[in-house]
Amino acid sequence: MQIHEFQAKNIFKEYGIPVPEGEIANNPQEAISVMEKLNSKVVVKAQVHSGGRGKVGGVKLAENSDDVFRFSSEMIGRKLVTNQTAGNGLPVNKVLIEKVTEIETELYLAVTMDYESGSPVVIISTEGGMEIETIAEKNPEKILKIFGDPLLELLPYKIRKLFEKLNIEPSLYKQFSSIILKVYKIFVEKDCSLIEINPLVISNEKFIALDAKISIEEDALFRQTKIQDLFDSTQIDPLELEALKYDLSYVKLYDGDVGCMVNGAGLAMATMDITVKAGTKPANFLDVGGSADQNKIKKAFEIITEDSDVKVILVNLFGGILRCDIAAQGIIEALKDKKEYPSIIGVFRGTNSEEAKRILTDSKIKLIFAEDLIDAAKKIKEIE
Ligand code: GDP
Ligand code: MN
């Protein structure tokens, strides 16, 4: 789960990581008040669950109160499209107003999980401000890493060795290591999957986190009750939000038109591959889960049919704990009151698959059966 920059910065403050002085504003008038209080030039920052805001007008420097009013009016109430957002962007409901920081040096700092070593990894680069993907591609030698240890945490000597490679004023070492240790502590204590500070800047011999991104591991949310309250449903696709309520793994994909309903993540991936092989593209990833019941299937099917991008639905079920006949009932329930719906291709195998086919044939639902995925691919091609 993601949280907003200002919320991440509040956590930084709690742990003693320096951030620019600032406050949140819900409207342009509030933005002016914050600027007056700060009594300085400010940066106006759109609060959306996405980076890359700077390049698309989501981060602006305001010299005076006219600027701050204009920039916040332009941002609040609009959607911001960045190179990281899908669909038509994310709505801006608040802006963060911060004192401008003079930048001398920009660094990139992140902590995430390294699945190979099974431990958290701290990633640092002197190419701050740039996207880490670009640095990784063009200057991979400029990305430095140090690994934590699940038992020993992060040993200070590793930070010192890394610092020596960075070409930073030695007198700043204490501050630097303190920030790294604190970010690492947040990562562990808040069950994060990612903390990213890009840029971490040096300004007047002080380190300041100019940007802040924190993602929390969803499987640990049950014990992060304070962070649960920061959930912002406006930053999620409405269909994804609906799926979340029913515990369905659903990801909307914006460039396809084949809706996929599958049980099991591996099977779902294979099904998406097959739709691409057939010369089309999946409109979503959807794993209803191994132990779905009729109601969950109904909900999943409704979510797919509500997606106006979907032209064909591919149902690929392998009956196990979820019996195919139960799934068939769920599909019938979902379509009961619908006069129109996309063409449906169904592959039913495993437990009670024959029963499922019989139930669906007896219902008035128009559904084309396919033997397997290859056959399904052929039939998608015929329809499209
Ligand atoms: P992002 O584009 O969504 O990652 O948003 P950032 O918070 O990283 O801001 C984008 C860029 O704006 C940063 O990389 C900085 O170069 C610049 N910026 C943000 N705040 C300040 C500031 O206080 N002073 C200066 N000089 N530049 C800033
Ligand atoms: Mn940034």
Side-chain angles (χ1 to χ4, degrees):
M1 185 189 105
Q2 274 205 59
I3 61 175
H4 285 292
E5 176 193 6
F6 76 96
Q7 297 164 332
K9 280 179 170 164
N10 286 341
I11 297 177
F12 283 4
K13 276 191 251 177
E14 257 175 60
Y15 281 74
I17 297 169
V19 297
E21 216 183 309
E23 265 177 50
I24 205 78
N26 295 290
N27 54 57
Q29 208 52 52
E30 278 181 26
I32 291 184
S33 309
V34 177
M35 186 179 197
E36 281 166 358
K37 212 154 129 195
L38 295 173
N39 193 22
S40 143
K41 288 180 190 170
V42 294
V43 189
V44 183
K45 307 187 80 178
Q47 297 300 288
V48 286
H49 285 183
S50 169
R53 296 163 301 169
K55 288 187 202 127
V56 293
V59 176
K60 285 195 166 161
L61 208 137
E63 304 269 343
N64 51 48
S65 55
D66 283 349
D67 282 354
V68 91
F69 188 88
R70 184 156 45 89
F71 296 151
S72 38
S73 315
E74 280 165 10
M75 290 180 201
I76 297 171
R78 298 256 174 88
K79 282 190 170 179
L80 193 71
V81 180
T82 73
N83 58 0
Q84 297 174 15
T85 54
N88 48 11
L90 294 171
V92 183
N93 304 312
K94 294 173 193 299
V95 289
L96 176 61
I97 308 292
E98 282 183 340
K99 248 186 190 170
V100 170
T101 307
E102 248 178 73
I103 302 177
E104 283 152 32
T105 306
E106 288 186 297
L107 300 173
Y108 173 97
L109 167 63
V111 186
T112 188
M113 276 306 290
D114 176 67
Y115 291 100
E116 225 163 273
S117 64
S119 56
V121 57
V122 179
I123 303 168
I124 292 179
S125 171
T126 45
E127 306 295 294
M130 268 169 64
E131 276 154 31
I132 196 70
E133 294 84 356
T134 315
I135 313 168
E137 204 177 295
K138 296 198 173 135
N139 302 89
E141 76 288 350
K142 292 208 166 137
I143 297 178
L144 305 174
K145 291 179 182 175
I146 43 175
F147 293 88
D149 182 294
L151 296 176
L152 300 172
E153 307 256 300
L154 189 61
L155 294 171
Y157 85 90
K158 292 186 179 174
I159 304 175
R160 179 166 285 283
K161 271 172 69 181
L162 174 112
F163 185 75
E164 283 163 7
K165 294 183 193 151
L166 289 178
N167 210 3
I168 295 173
E169 182 64 39
S171 63
L172 296 178
Y173 174 69
K174 258 204 159 133
Q175 278 187 51
F176 179 79
S177 81
S178 150
I179 287 176
I180 304 252
L181 288 170
K182 283 168 181 164
V183 173
Y184 191 90
K185 194 166 162 36
I186 296 173
F187 184 85
V188 174
E189 289 184 359
K190 302 286 182 195
D191 289 309
C192 301
S193 52
L194 173 73
I195 301 183
E196 193 180 58
I197 307 179
N198 188 23
L200 169 68
V201 305
I202 304 175
S203 177
N204 294 322
E205 313 209 324
K206 286 202 171 62
F207 278 98
I208 301 179
L210 221 55
D211 194 5
K213 177 176 183 172
I214 296 186
S215 301
I216 314 295
E217 170 55 50
E218 260 134 59
D219 288 335
L221 266 181
F222 72 94
R223 61 182 186 192
Q224 294 294 345
T225 44
K226 262 164 91 185
I227 288 174
Q228 281 172 25
D229 297 340
L230 306 182
F231 179 73
D232 183 352
S233 60
T234 69
Q235 302 294 306
I236 296 178
D237 181 279
L239 291 177
E240 287 187 2
L241 188 64
E242 194 64 15
L244 214 56
K245 283 189 208 149
Y246 289 84
D247 198 24
L248 296 160
S249 290
Y250 171 85
V251 181
K252 162 100 181 107
L253 302 168
Y254 290 86
D255 57 354
D257 58 9
V258 180
C260 301
M261 186 170 85
V262 190
N263 62 331
L267 197 58
M269 302 288 259
T271 306
M272 289 163 72
D273 284 351
I274 283 291
T275 62
V276 174
K277 268 247 156 83
T280 59
K281 280 186 178 162
N284 66 275
F285 167 91
L286 173 60
D287 169 16
V288 295
S291 55
D293 57 14
Q294 185 176 324
N295 194 41
K296 219 163 147 177
I297 295 284
K298 173 176 180 252
K299 198 64 221 175
F301 211 79
E302 280 170 359
I303 288 170
I304 295 178
T305 43
E306 270 165 43
D307 180 352
S308 55
D309 292 338
V310 170
K311 301 269 153 43
V312 185
I313 299 175
L314 174 55
V315 178
N316 185 17
L317 296 173
F318 196 90
I321 297 169
L322 164 67
R323 288 159 30 199
C324 285
D325 58 321
I326 300 285
Q329 299 282 12
I331 296 172
I332 292 168
E333 276 292 306
L335 295 178
K336 208 170 55 187
D337 301 321
K338 286 209 162 65
K339 287 199 180 71
E340 274 182 46
Y341 45 86
S343 310
I344 308 167
I345 295 167
V347 182
F348 295 90
R349 286 173 293 178
T351 312
N352 289 8
S353 55
E354 291 311 313
E355 179 72 359
K357 286 180 203 168
R358 195 183 56 73
I359 295 171
L360 284 162
T361 311
D362 288 350
S363 77
K364 297 270 170 335
I365 288 166
K366 282 175 267 149
L367 190 148
I368 304 160
F369 292 107
E371 286 306 310
D372 51 29
L373 273 181
I374 305 293
D375 188 27
K378 264 190 232 148
K379 286 176 171 151
I380 294 174
K381 248 185 203 158
E382 282 165 21
I383 292 171
E384 287 248 326

